[in-house]
Amino acid sequence: MIATDSMSSALPALPSSGRSLRGVKWFLLLTLLTLIYGSHAPLISLSKVDGRVPFSASSCVVLIELAKLLVSLGTLLAFEELSGSHLSVSWVLVAPYAVPALLYAFNNHLVVFMQDYMDPSSFQVLSNMKIASTALLYTSCLGKRLRPGQWLALALLVAAGVCHSYASLGWEDLNGLHITAWGLLLVLLYSFISGLAAVYTERVLKAQRLPLSLQNLFLYLFGVGINLASHVASVGGDQGLLEGYSWTVWLIVASQAANGLLMSLVMKHGSGITRLFVISAAMLVNGVLSWGLLGLQLTPYFLLPVLLIAAAVYLYYR
């Protein structure tokens, strides 16, 4: 079971039965998050028609952000006292939530731009550096100190990601790997921004004593606005917002909306490092689902990232 150090220190002491119940809830939450993360790529593959994705990726992002916004608003109306003084906020409190939306939107465009300077397989391997960048920013920006064993655990996560990426490549892909100096610089920038967005979001969520549903409302208001503007600018009037949508695509929208809402709960009450373990474990779920649903072959090398992630969990949370 994955638990977080910050969680245990921030919450009051509970009876053993209360701690056990809380542990079960977090185990179920993190397991669900891992399954959702791991199912994303297989679902996209299942949605393809004649080998191509029939829908606009930017429109899918807009709908995911909109779904998260509506759920946050519904939760706020259903469970929070709107007339309470604790919900009196100003633009000074709201403005910081625009930063994560801008950072994630920038990175989405950066991924497309950097394809001119490297092949997709190289990006798949090198993007694992965002684990290291997130850990470094987590310690420097949030003032968290990690034990040597915890640093070793995070290094094992990076190694697991690289091993999994290589294991999923064929010999043709390995022979075609290439990356330029500009490509390497862009990957470093991508990794830094990815870590910065995660750490910044955690800092804002924890710094403000506001209901999480209200904080999510602010966050996804900017997310909808920025991604909608990006969608309109990228496709114009050439493609309808829902063109090419099937039940699989709507399942992607629903699952990724749930993923974002659940991850905000982890960032608010847990730790950004826990997010890294969820993403790493999701690689394994991705591999198993790709084998079961898409018929892809699992090689014996698949066991290596499994062992590395298991060792990382033990070293970090022991």
Side-chain angles (χ1 to χ4, degrees):
M1 181 186 67
I2 299 175
T4 57
D5 297 334
S6 60
M7 217 172 23
S8 58
S9 61
L11 296 177
L14 294 175
S16 58
S17 59
R19 288 195 300 270
S20 298
L21 179 60
R22 185 181 65 187
V24 170
K25 289 180 178 179
W26 274 92
F27 176 80
L28 293 175
L29 170 64
L30 297 178
T31 300
L32 180 59
L33 270 172
T34 303
L35 292 174
I36 292 174
Y37 258 108
S39 66
H40 183 54
L43 284 176
I44 291 179
S45 296
L46 289 175
S47 71
K48 290 183 178 180
V49 177
D50 297 328
R52 59 178 292 273
V53 175
F55 61 94
S56 167
S58 59
S59 73
C60 189
V61 174
V62 171
L63 291 177
I64 291 171
E65 293 295 304
L66 180 60
K68 291 188 289 187
L69 174 65
L70 294 176
V71 172
S72 300
L73 178 60
T75 304
L76 185 66
L77 293 174
F79 299 106
E80 300 294 343
E81 180 56 55
L82 296 180
S83 61
S85 59
H86 65 288
L87 292 181
S88 178
V89 295
S90 65
W91 279 105
V92 176
L93 294 178
V94 176
Y97 294 91
V99 177
L102 289 169
L103 291 176
Y104 285 124
F106 179 83
N107 250 13
N108 290 337
H109 289 283
L110 186 60
V111 168
V112 178
F113 177 71
M114 71 173 63
Q115 301 305 315
D116 294 333
Y117 300 93
M118 71 182 72
D119 62 287
S121 298
S122 293
F123 171 74
Q124 180 182 351
V125 173
L126 294 174
S127 62
N128 290 287
M129 291 190 296
K130 65 185 178 184
I131 296 175
S133 65
T134 301
L136 291 172
L137 288 168
Y138 177 79
T139 55
S140 59
C141 296
L142 299 182
K144 306 294 184 180
R145 302 186 65 177
L146 300 180
R147 303 187 309 271
Q150 291 178 315
W151 282 112
L152 176 58
L154 295 174
L156 291 179
L157 280 189
V158 175
V162 172
C163 291
H164 182 270
S165 298
Y166 271 117
S168 64
L169 302 178
W171 286 109
E172 299 80 4
D173 298 317
L174 291 174
N175 293 330
L177 291 178
H178 74 276
I179 182 171
T180 66
W182 271 109
L184 181 59
L185 181 62
L186 291 174
V187 169
L188 291 174
L189 178 61
Y190 166 85
S191 300
F192 173 78
I193 293 176
S194 177
L196 180 62
V199 170
Y200 181 89
T201 302
E202 180 178 350
R203 186 184 184 106
V204 171
L205 290 177
K206 290 181 175 178
Q208 296 184 359
R209 294 184 176 277
L210 296 172
L212 180 58
S213 55
L214 182 61
Q215 292 180 303
N216 281 338
L217 186 67
F218 298 151
L219 187 63
Y220 301 135
L221 271 173
F222 289 109
V224 170
I226 292 173
N227 285 286
L228 181 59
S230 176
H231 169 72
V232 172
S234 61
V235 304
D238 298 334
Q239 186 175 14
L241 183 67
L242 302 181
E243 184 176 336
Y245 274 61
S246 63
W247 70 268
T248 310
V249 184
W250 286 112
L251 183 57
I252 292 173
V253 171
S255 63
Q256 291 308 299
N259 171 65
L261 292 166
L262 294 175
M263 188 56 72
S264 67
L265 186 63
V266 172
M267 303 290 277
K268 176 77 169 181
H269 301 291
S271 164
I273 300 297
T274 303
R275 172 179 173 270
L276 298 179
F277 280 91
V278 168
I279 294 173
S280 297
M283 296 186 303
L284 309 181
V285 175
N286 180 11
V288 172
L289 288 179
S290 297
W291 167 72
L293 298 177
L294 305 176
L296 300 182
Q297 295 298 316
L298 292 179
T299 68
Y301 296 106
F302 181 75
L303 294 177
L304 181 56
V306 172
L307 295 175
L308 289 173
I309 292 174
V313 171
Y314 171 75
L315 287 173
Y316 193 89
Y317 293 108
R318 64 176 179 176

